[in-house]
């Protein structure tokens, strides 16, 4: 069986990938190949960051590899925070811990959007602050070539946090056509429609050819 490294140590992402590609490929994590480096992500797009991670693995371990990079893009903020999604509160001068990071990132985003006095109506009684989308890019280094796969899920940012599941910006994101946030929809429904699921499905289609 061919080995393919997924340049991540995120247990949830690995499980998802192995469920889809595991029959055809031996999927190894960074830990599996003995890589504990903090791989630099200094690109200016999701694609560049994903490619940087995949190229690091290829250069140091000589293995075919893919990597992902994701984030939230908010229309009213010129598509910020984008590649800065994980550290948005920090970038805006707040001190964060791993416990309060998600909450503070959402607070900063809501405050910035409220300052623009949005008038975009309501969904399920919540004020809509902006259109937005989650975006995942996957970069694959395979048999000497680079391939990119993108997944996007469009939706809306609302003014209050709803739901207890998920992570990141899930409590304030309502996907287009829904009445509930990603957080309220829960893992099964979210994972069936998410940006990551859409990018991974493109990758799977390509690899199964
Ligand atoms: P990563 O590249 O998948 O680690 O995502 C980077 C950051 O984007 C995360 O730390 C979150 O702030 C945000 N993000 C990415 N995907 C999601 C999601 O599915 N829900 C909520 N936030 C997300």
């Amino acid at each position: 069986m061919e080995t393919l490294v997924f340049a991540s140590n995120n247990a949830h992402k690995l499980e998802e990938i192995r469920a889809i590609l595991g029959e055809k490929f031996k999927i190894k994590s960074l830990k599996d190949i003995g890589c504990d480096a903090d791989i630099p992500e200094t690109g200016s797009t999701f694609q560049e960051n994903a490619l940087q991670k995949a190229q690091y693995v290829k250069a140091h371990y000589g293995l075919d590899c893919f990597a992902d990079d994701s984030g939230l893009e908010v229309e009213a903020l010129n598509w910020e925070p984008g590649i800065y999604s994980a550290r948005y509160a920090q970038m805006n001068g707040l001190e964060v811990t791993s416990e309060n990071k998600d909450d503070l990132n959402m607070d900063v985003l809501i405050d910035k959007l409220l300052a623009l006095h949005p008038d975009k109506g309501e969904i399920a009684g919540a004020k809509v602050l902006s259109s937005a989308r989650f975006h995942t890019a996957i970069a694959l280094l395979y048999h000497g070539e680079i391939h990119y796969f993108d997944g996007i899920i469009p939706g809306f940012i609302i003014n209050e946090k709803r739901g207890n599941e998920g992570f990141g910006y899930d409590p304030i994101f309502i996907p287009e056509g829904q009445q509930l946030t990603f957080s309220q929809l829960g893992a099964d429904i979210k994972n069936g429609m998410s940006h990551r699921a859409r990018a991974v499905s493109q990758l799977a289609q390509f690899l199964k050819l």
Side-chain angles (χ1 to χ4, degrees):
M1 202 188 267
E2 227 178 326
T3 291
L4 199 51
V5 178
F6 177 27
S8 174
N9 279 324
N10 180 309
H12 173 76
K13 289 186 188 175
L14 277 155
E15 190 187 322
E16 203 175 294
I17 289 288
R18 285 190 176 119
I20 298 170
L21 301 177
E23 263 179 38
K24 191 156 176 223
F25 294 91
K26 177 149 187 57
I27 303 290
K28 292 193 173 181
S29 66
L30 289 175
K31 204 166 145 213
D32 292 335
I33 59 168
C35 173
D36 58 6
D38 196 8
I39 304 177
E41 284 181 46
T42 55
S44 54
T45 62
F46 296 121
Q47 281 88 350
E48 283 175 19
N49 280 339
L51 181 63
Q52 217 173 1
K53 285 186 269 188
Q55 279 177 330
Y56 184 96
V57 169
K58 184 74 190 172
H60 290 79
Y61 300 88
L63 295 165
D64 276 353
C65 177
F66 64 95
D68 72 332
D69 196 42
S70 313
L72 176 68
E73 299 176 314
V74 179
E75 186 179 24
L77 297 175
N78 268 327
W79 306 106
E80 266 190 23
I83 55 167
Y84 305 109
S85 295
R87 44 202 155 108
Y88 200 42
Q90 234 170 325
M91 279 184 43
N92 282 277
L94 299 186
E95 273 197 35
V96 305
T97 64
S98 49
E99 281 79 46
N100 69 11
K101 181 182 74 151
D102 285 348
D103 254 328
L104 293 182
N105 282 339
M106 286 189 283
D107 291 344
V108 166
L109 188 67
I110 290 172
D111 285 351
K112 281 189 186 247
L113 288 171
L114 285 174
L116 300 174
H117 305 292
D119 180 17
K120 298 185 183 298
E122 293 192 349
I123 302 177
K127 197 169 151 68
V128 173
L129 302 184
S130 178
S131 297
R133 61 192 183 214
F134 277 115
H135 184 167
T136 293
I138 291 176
L140 168 71
L141 289 181
Y142 190 60
H143 296 178
E145 286 181 0
I146 300 171
H147 303 273
Y148 293 106
F149 308 94
D150 277 282
I152 282 176
I153 170 105
F156 303 93
I157 300 298
I158 56 166
N159 65 329
E160 60 185 34
K161 299 165 190 169
R162 293 185 171 183
N164 304 309
E165 285 197 55
F167 72 103
Y169 298 87
D170 281 349
I172 57 169
F173 180 82
I174 298 186
E176 219 170 80
Q178 303 285 330
Q179 301 287 311
L180 301 175
T181 64
F182 257 174
S183 214
Q184 292 172 306
L185 286 168
D188 283 353
I189 295 177
K190 177 191 166 185
N191 294 340
M193 61 163 68
S194 77
H195 46 312
R196 223 174 334 273
R198 290 176 179 183
V200 168
S201 129
Q202 309 257 329
L203 169 74
Q205 269 179 35
F206 172 81
L207 287 173
K208 280 176 177 165
L209 283 179

